[in-house]
Amino acid sequence: MTEALKVTGLSHSFGDLEVLKDLDITVQKGEFVSIVGPSGSGKSTLFHLVGGVHTPTAGAIEINGQKAKRGLIGYMPQQPALMPWRTIEKNVVLAQEIKGKADIAAAREWLSKVGLDGFADKYPHQLSGGMQQRVAFLRALLSDQELLCLDEPFSALDAMTRLEMHRWLLDIWEANRRAVLFVTHNIEEALLLSDTVYVFSSRPATVIEKVTVPFGRPRRDDVVDDPDFVKLRRRLTDLLTGSPR
């Protein structure tokens, strides 16, 4: 078995509101997969279903061969959601602590690896937005789950910090190769980071197209200037705006 996530025939409604319709999505082990789509198309709802927060109206979700339930994924939300009364190292090990196996030494080692050496005993309000996002990602990474779900984690950052976080995330991911499901509104971000991109329609969300990203790894951020990258970005934009060329 090579699938970290397998979504088959997934549909979900909240009362009379149909949000997702007949989705088929696969994330292989070690694969970085992104989902792009219009606002309100149900991308975050999909994460809630994958994370076991909701039970789907129809279809199936398997994570490493198990039916989706709470505790099977590492999750990074749009906002860092750090506990303000806990030190940075204590925030990093929170998921581990819940499982009764917090490793402070490993947390300090990872903080050093991601450029946060010397911040272990600080508190969230003492860190910049980008630094807080690094802490939130480490918390998900150190949860030891095979599948990491990242829900628009860089949307609140300014352009320069976002670019820095792209470089940082690619470096960390290359070194670990966890399976990642990444939600974003940003087509360029999806193409820069991903192996595969699923393009969602407006609600109820269906998969308009599954795109295999043709650029090799390790991937440099200047790939965005490649004519093939520009062409692919234009095609995905046209898919989302409904104006194919």
Side-chain angles (χ1 to χ4, degrees), residues 109-155:
E109 181 180 347
W110 270 104
L111 285 168
S112 178
K113 287 180 180 178
V114 303
L116 294 175
D117 192 23
F119 288 89
D121 296 324
K122 303 296 184 183
Y123 289 86
H125 73 274
Q126 296 175 289
L127 274 61
S128 68
M131 294 165 77
Q132 289 186 31
Q133 289 296 78
R134 294 186 186 198
V135 175
F137 179 77
L138 283 186
R139 181 177 57 194
L141 185 69
L142 295 182
S143 68
D144 292 330
Q145 301 296 346
E146 174 65 31
L147 177 65
L148 302 181
C149 291
L150 313 183
D151 188 0
E152 297 190 70
F154 308 139
S155 60

Side-chain angles (χ1 to χ4, degrees), residues 5-237:
L5 174 68
K6 185 176 182 180
V7 174
T8 308
L10 181 68
S11 297
H12 192 69
S13 300
F14 294 103
D16 294 332
L17 180 64
E18 190 176 21
V19 180
L20 306 174
K21 184 175 182 180
D22 200 25
L23 298 181
D24 292 324
I25 297 170
T26 300
V27 182
Q28 304 294 332
K29 289 186 176 181
E31 185 181 21
F32 199 121
V33 173
S34 285
I35 294 171
V36 297
S39 295
S41 61
K43 301 184 295 297
S44 293
T45 297
L46 173 63
F47 270 13
H48 294 156
L49 294 167
V50 171
V53 177
H54 301 308
T55 300
T57 304
I61 304 173
E62 291 185 359
I63 300 171
N64 293 312
Q66 297 184 59
K67 182 179 178 181
K69 61 180 181 180
R70 292 176 185 262
L72 294 184
I73 66 170
Y75 177 66
M76 182 176 173
Q78 295 180 26
Q79 300 296 327
L82 303 179
M83 304 299 182
W85 60 88
R86 294 175 68 101
T87 63
I88 297 307
E89 68 181 8
K90 287 289 188 179
N91 269 284
V92 169
V93 300
L94 181 59
Q96 293 181 331
E97 190 175 300
I98 291 170
K99 294 181 178 180
K101 57 173 186 178
D103 189 340
I104 293 293
R108 283 182 173 267
E109 181 180 347
W110 270 104
L111 285 168
S112 178
K113 287 180 180 178
V114 303
L116 294 175
D117 192 23
F119 288 89
D121 296 324
K122 303 296 184 183
Y123 289 86
H125 73 274
Q126 296 175 289
L127 274 61
S128 68
M131 294 165 77
Q132 289 186 31
Q133 289 296 78
R134 294 186 186 198
V135 175
F137 179 77
L138 283 186
R139 181 177 57 194
L141 185 69
L142 295 182
S143 68
D144 292 330
Q145 301 296 346
E146 174 65 31
L147 177 65
L148 302 181
C149 291
L150 313 183
D151 188 0
E152 297 190 70
F154 308 139
S155 60
L157 301 178
D158 63 80
M160 290 302 297
T161 304
R162 190 168 185 149
L163 180 59
E164 178 186 345
M165 290 299 295
H166 290 165
R167 296 189 188 111
W168 175 82
L169 179 57
L170 283 174
D171 287 344
I172 294 294
W173 180 81
E174 289 283 358
N176 290 270
R177 288 292 178 126
R178 296 281 185 87
V180 172
L181 184 62
F182 185 94
V183 162
T184 179
H185 288 294
N186 190 307
I187 293 171
E188 183 171 293
E189 180 173 73
L191 292 174
L192 174 64
L193 298 174
S194 308
D195 300 303
T196 302
V197 177
Y198 287 88
V199 183
F200 274 18
S201 70
S202 56
R203 191 176 63 236
T206 60
V207 175
I208 300 174
E209 188 166 334
K210 175 183 177 182
V211 177
T212 300
V213 181
F215 309 104
R217 295 191 185 275
R219 192 171 297 162
R220 296 170 53 88
D221 54 18
D222 60 4
V223 72
V224 300
D225 299 320
D226 186 301
D228 290 334
F229 187 100
V230 174
K231 183 178 179 180
L232 187 55
R233 182 178 59 201
R234 180 73 261 169
R235 184 160 72 85
L236 266 62
T237 300

